[in-house]
Structure formats: C-alpha cells, structure tokens
Amino acid sequence: MAMNKHSLPPLPSIQGELMLDVYTHRSMLSKDVDESTVHGNTERLAELGSSVLSMIVVYTLYSEKPMLPAHDLKMRKADLLSDKNIADWLSLYGLKAKIRCTDRSVLDRPEEARFLFNCYVGAVYTQKGLQEVTNWVGRLVNPVSEPPAVPGETLNNQPAATPPPPPPTYYSQPPPPPPPSIAPPPMPSMPPPPPSQGVLAIFNQTCMQRGLTVEWKPEMTGPPHNPRWEVKCIGEP
C-alpha cells in the first residue's frame, strides 16, 4: 500500500544530545566512541537501528493473518525496506531538511538516506523502548492494522499480567497422620533393692550369732527390656 501524509503514523520524538547527533551528518561528527554518551556515536546507533527495523518489519508481517509463508515474508521485507521506501519515509517526515550538513547533495544518496533513517530508529529504541518502535514501524508496514504487541508485553507497553496462583489442593480423605516417633531404648534395669533394713538387720544378727559368712549374688535373667533379677544368699560357716 502506497504511503501518504494521511496514512503516515506520527513520528516518535527524540530528545537531548541524542537528537543533536541524529540531526548532524556523520561527516561532521567524530567516529570515535564517546563513552560519556548513551549511544557512543551515530555509527553504532545506525547499526542498532538497522537490526531493530528489520526485526520489527518481519515480526509485523509474521503476525498477519492469514499467515504468510517464509518466502513471502522475505520478499515483502525486501520490498518494504527498499531504497525507494526509505527515501519516501524521509521525505514525508521532512527529516532530510533537519540535517546539519556541509554538502546537502550527499543526503540524496541511498546509503546516506538509509543511514539517517536507521539512526532515527535506533534513537527511538534507545530512548523509548521496543514497543514504541513497534507501534511506529508497524504502522509503516500496514497502516490499517493494529501494530503487534511485543511478546511478553501489552499494546500499552505494560508487562503482561501475572497468572493467578494455582487453586489449593483438596484431599478426598484427610492426610495420613505423621508416623509415631520412635521411643528411645529402655535404660538398663537396676538390681532390686535388698530386703528392708529391719529384716536384713535381724538376718545379719542371726548369721553372726551362728558364725556364718553371708554373700549376696544377684543374677539377671530374661530380655534386657524386661529383666528378672534373682538374688542368691550364700552362707558359709
């Protein structure tokens, strides 16, 4: 579809030092990379803009319905980014008239026109992001269709909504109780206490009167957790 001023989408604005460099012909700028700026120089900016422009043109065509075959995507991209279309866009936006240049005739060269347009695309991308460039270039590709949303974002350049959390899990039966804790092993049993002091005293007194020597021998029988103690009393004359 032929572009005219009525179907031309608005040109996104750029500001500051970046705008001054874009509107100055590269012959009047240093080719050194200026680390104190966002973009370094216009050579870098044009390289960035070229890639962004190519990607958005293809993505806009890729998003059309019905879907275009890969061969048609390639052919239409080449047609949209032809030297003629680039020159027409510069003319319709009046960009060439804003360029500071010692020899304005160089701006009629296709490679200079493309360099200027790529610089502008790179500047818009640097200052306003991918969705802003997509909204603009998408209208250049197809003036009658809504530009595609950048994957992961909405048309308003807002992040996609976070999906709601999954619903809680309900069990048809209550979950099983936790396993019982293992009881510590029983402490070794102590021998039973000797007979009461009163009985023992009488027994010892009797043995002494009869001249007998008494020896107590405790013995444990049964398992360790349930022992049985037997105390033998051995008397010797």
Side-chain angles (χ1 to χ4, degrees):
M1 179 180 294
M3 186 68 63
N4 54 58
K5 288 188 177 182
H6 299 290
S7 58
L8 193 70
L11 181 70
S13 61
I14 54 177
Q15 294 85 32
E17 186 178 1
L18 194 61
M19 178 188 67
L20 296 178
D21 279 0
V22 169
Y23 287 150
T24 302
H25 190 265
R26 56 179 165 176
S27 62
M28 300 177 64
L29 297 172
S30 172
K31 291 186 178 182
D32 295 334
V33 176
D34 187 352
E35 296 284 354
S36 66
T37 64
V38 174
H39 57 289
N41 58 32
T42 54
E43 300 280 348
R44 284 166 39 88
L45 200 62
E47 190 66 27
L48 172 66
S50 175
S51 297
V52 172
L53 178 62
S54 177
M55 185 271 291
I56 294 177
V57 168
V58 173
Y59 184 63
T60 302
L61 297 172
Y62 173 88
S63 303
E64 289 185 355
K65 301 296 182 182
M67 293 183 177
L68 296 172
H71 176 74
D72 290 352
L73 288 176
K74 183 177 181 180
M75 297 299 294
R76 288 192 58 184
K77 171 198 167 186
D79 180 62
L80 284 163
L81 296 181
S82 64
D83 290 342
K84 180 181 183 306
N85 272 350
I86 296 293
D88 288 345
W89 291 338
L90 287 178
S91 177
L92 290 170
Y93 283 121
L95 288 177
K96 287 199 298 185
K98 300 178 181 180
I99 302 300
R100 292 187 303 156
C101 186
T102 55
D103 182 7
R104 306 196 65 82
S105 64
V106 299
L107 300 177
D108 295 329
R109 299 173 185 171
E111 65 272 16
E112 293 296 332
R114 188 175 296 275
F115 183 89
L116 170 57
F117 195 79
N118 287 341
C119 275
Y120 203 96
V121 173
V124 175
Y125 176 82
T126 299
Q127 289 192 337
K128 300 192 173 182
L130 183 58
Q131 186 65 67
E132 183 74 15
V133 187
T134 303
N135 292 343
W136 169 41
V137 175
R139 291 290 191 187
L140 291 175
V141 174
N142 191 340
V144 298
S145 294
E146 192 70 22
V150 172
E153 300 185 15
T154 65
L155 287 176
N156 294 323
N157 203 21
Q158 298 295 324
T162 303
T169 302
Y170 297 98
Y171 296 93
S172 58
Q173 296 181 355
S181 59
I182 301 176
M187 298 294 292
S189 300
M190 301 298 294
S196 65
Q197 186 65 28
V199 176
L200 184 59
I202 295 172
F203 177 79
N204 287 333
Q205 184 180 1
T206 302
C207 290
M208 290 178 64
Q209 291 174 351
R210 297 184 179 182
L212 298 175
T213 302
V214 179
E215 181 182 358
W216 299 93
K217 290 187 176 182
E219 293 182 358
M220 186 187 74
T221 60
H225 66 277
N226 188 22
R228 180 179 178 181
W229 288 94
E230 294 181 358
V231 180
K232 295 180 179 181
C233 177
I234 301 174
E236 295 180 355

Coordinates of all heavy atoms in Angstrom, one line a residue, residues 22 32 35 47-49 56 60 62 69 74 87 90 95 110 115 127 142-143 158 170 174 178 194 215 220 224 235:
V22 N 21.7 12.8 15.9 CA 21.0 12.2 14.8 C 20.8 13.2 13.7 O 20.9 12.9 12.5 CB 19.6 11.7 15.3 CG1 18.7 11.3 14.1 CG2 19.8 10.4 16.1
D32 N 35.0 8.3 16.7 CA 35.4 7.7 17.9 C 34.2 7.4 18.8 O 33.2 8.2 18.8 CB 36.4 8.6 18.7 CG 37.7 8.8 18.0 OD1 38.1 7.9 17.1 OD2 38.4 9.9 18.2
E35 N 32.3 7.3 25.3 CA 31.8 6.6 26.4 C 30.9 7.4 27.3 O 30.1 6.8 28.1 CB 33.0 6.0 27.3 CG 33.8 5.0 26.5 CD 33.2 3.6 26.4 OE1 32.1 3.4 26.9 OE2 33.7 2.8 25.7
E47 N 23.7 1.1 13.3 CA 23.8 -0.4 13.3 C 22.7 -1.0 14.1 O 22.0 -2.0 13.8 CB 25.2 -0.8 13.8 CG 25.4 -2.3 13.6 CD 25.6 -2.7 12.1 OE1 25.9 -1.9 11.3 OE2 25.3 -3.9 11.8
L48 N 22.4 -0.4 15.3 CA 21.4 -0.9 16.2 C 20.0 -0.7 15.5 O 19.2 -1.6 15.4 CB 21.4 -0.1 17.5 CG 20.2 -0.3 18.4 CD1 20.2 -1.8 18.9 CD2 20.3 0.6 19.6
G49 N 19.8 0.5 14.9 CA 18.5 0.8 14.3 C 18.3 -0.1 13.1 O 17.1 -0.5 12.9
I56 N 11.4 -5.7 13.4 CA 10.0 -5.3 13.6 C 9.3 -5.4 12.3 O 8.1 -5.8 12.3 CB 10.0 -3.8 14.1 CG1 10.6 -3.7 15.5 CG2 8.5 -3.3 14.1 CD1 10.6 -2.3 16.0
T60 N 6.1 -7.8 12.2 CA 4.7 -7.3 11.9 C 4.1 -8.2 10.7 O 3.0 -8.5 10.8 CB 4.8 -5.9 11.4 OG1 5.4 -5.1 12.4 CG2 3.5 -5.3 11.0
Y62 N 5.0 -11.3 10.1 CA 4.9 -12.6 10.7 C 3.5 -12.7 11.5 O 2.9 -13.8 11.6 CB 6.0 -12.8 11.7 CG 6.0 -14.1 12.5 CD1 6.5 -15.3 12.0 CD2 5.5 -14.0 13.8 CE1 6.5 -16.4 12.8 CE2 5.5 -15.1 14.6 CZ 6.0 -16.3 14.1 OH 6.0 -17.4 14.9
P69 N 3.7 -17.4 4.1 CA 4.9 -18.4 4.0 C 6.2 -17.7 4.2 O 6.3 -16.4 4.0 CB 4.7 -19.0 2.6 CG 3.3 -18.7 2.2 CD 3.0 -17.4 2.9
K74 N 10.1 -13.0 3.4 CA 11.4 -12.5 2.9 C 11.2 -11.5 1.8 O 11.9 -10.4 1.8 CB 12.3 -13.7 2.5 CG 13.7 -13.3 2.0 CD 14.5 -14.5 1.7 CE 15.9 -14.2 1.2 NZ 16.7 -15.4 0.9
A87 N 13.6 6.4 1.2 CA 13.6 7.8 0.7 C 12.3 8.4 0.9 O 12.2 9.6 1.3 CB 14.1 7.8 -0.7
L90 N 11.6 9.3 4.6 CA 12.4 10.5 5.0 C 11.8 11.8 4.4 O 11.7 12.8 5.1 CB 13.8 10.4 4.5 CG 14.8 9.4 5.2 CD1 16.1 9.4 4.5 CD2 14.9 9.8 6.7
L95 N 12.6 14.7 7.3 CA 13.8 14.6 8.1 C 15.1 15.1 7.5 O 16.0 15.7 8.1 CB 14.0 13.1 8.5 CG 13.1 12.5 9.5 CD1 13.3 11.0 9.6 CD2 13.2 13.2 10.8
P110 N 21.3 6.9 -1.6 CA 20.5 5.9 -0.9 C 21.2 5.4 0.4 O 20.5 5.2 1.4 CB 20.4 4.7 -1.9 CG 20.6 5.4 -3.3 CD 21.6 6.5 -3.1
F115 N 21.2 5.4 6.3 CA 21.9 5.6 7.5 C 21.1 6.5 8.4 O 21.0 6.3 9.6 CB 23.3 6.2 7.2 CG 24.2 6.4 8.3 CD1 25.0 5.4 8.8 CD2 24.1 7.6 9.0 CE1 25.8 5.6 9.9 CE2 25.0 7.8 10.1 CZ 25.8 6.8 10.6
Q127 N 15.7 5.4 23.5 CA 15.0 6.3 24.5 C 13.6 5.8 24.9 O 13.2 6.1 26.0 CB 14.9 7.7 23.9 CG 16.2 8.5 23.8 CD 16.1 9.9 23.5 OE1 15.1 10.4 23.0 NE2 17.1 10.7 23.9
N142 N 1.9 -1.6 7.8 CA 0.5 -1.8 7.5 C -0.3 -0.7 8.2 O -0.6 -0.9 9.4 CB 0.0 -3.2 7.9 CG -1.3 -3.6 7.4 OD1 -2.1 -2.7 7.0 ND2 -1.7 -4.9 7.4
P143 N -0.7 0.3 7.5 CA -1.3 1.5 8.1 C -2.7 1.2 8.6 O -3.3 1.9 9.5 CB -1.4 2.5 7.0 CG -0.4 2.1 6.0 CD -0.3 0.6 6.1
Q158 N 2.9 -2.3 28.8 CA 2.8 -2.7 30.1 C 3.2 -4.2 30.2 O 2.8 -4.9 29.3 CB 1.5 -2.4 30.8 CG 1.1 -1.0 30.8 CD 2.0 -0.2 31.7 OE1 2.5 -0.7 32.7 NE2 2.3 1.0 31.3
Y170 N -7.3 -30.0 47.4 CA -8.1 -30.6 48.3 C -8.0 -32.1 48.3 O -7.9 -32.7 47.2 CB -9.6 -30.2 48.1 CG -9.8 -28.7 48.2 CD1 -9.9 -27.9 47.1 CD2 -10.0 -28.1 49.5 CE1 -10.1 -26.5 47.3 CE2 -10.2 -26.8 49.6 CZ -10.2 -26.0 48.5 OH -10.4 -24.6 48.6
P174 N -8.7 -37.2 54.7 CA -7.6 -36.4 55.4 C -6.3 -37.1 55.2 O -6.2 -38.3 55.1 CB -8.1 -36.5 56.9 CG -9.0 -37.7 56.9 CD -9.7 -37.8 55.6
P178 N 1.2 -38.2 60.9 CA 2.6 -38.4 60.9 C 3.0 -39.7 61.6 O 2.4 -40.1 62.5 CB 3.2 -37.1 61.6 CG 2.1 -36.7 62.5 CD 0.8 -37.0 61.7
P194 N 17.8 -54.4 98.2 CA 17.8 -55.5 99.2 C 16.6 -55.5 100.1 O 15.9 -54.5 100.1 CB 19.1 -55.2 100.0 CG 19.3 -53.7 99.8 CD 18.8 -53.4 98.4
E215 N 27.1 -64.1 101.6 CA 27.5 -63.4 100.4 C 26.2 -63.3 99.5 O 25.5 -64.3 99.3 CB 28.5 -64.2 99.6 CG 29.0 -63.6 98.3 CD 30.0 -64.4 97.6 OE1 30.4 -65.5 98.1 OE2 30.4 -64.0 96.5
M220 N 20.7 -61.7 86.7 CA 19.6 -61.2 85.8 C 19.3 -62.3 84.8 O 20.2 -62.8 84.1 CB 20.0 -59.9 85.1 CG 18.9 -59.3 84.3 SD 19.4 -57.8 83.4 CE 20.3 -58.7 82.0
P224 N 16.7 -57.8 77.9 CA 17.2 -56.5 78.6 C 16.1 -55.6 78.9 O 16.2 -54.8 79.8 CB 18.2 -55.9 77.6 CG 18.7 -57.1 76.8 CD 17.5 -58.0 76.7
G235 N 25.5 -68.7 102.4 CA 26.1 -68.6 103.7 C 27.2 -69.7 103.9 O 27.0 -70.8 103.4

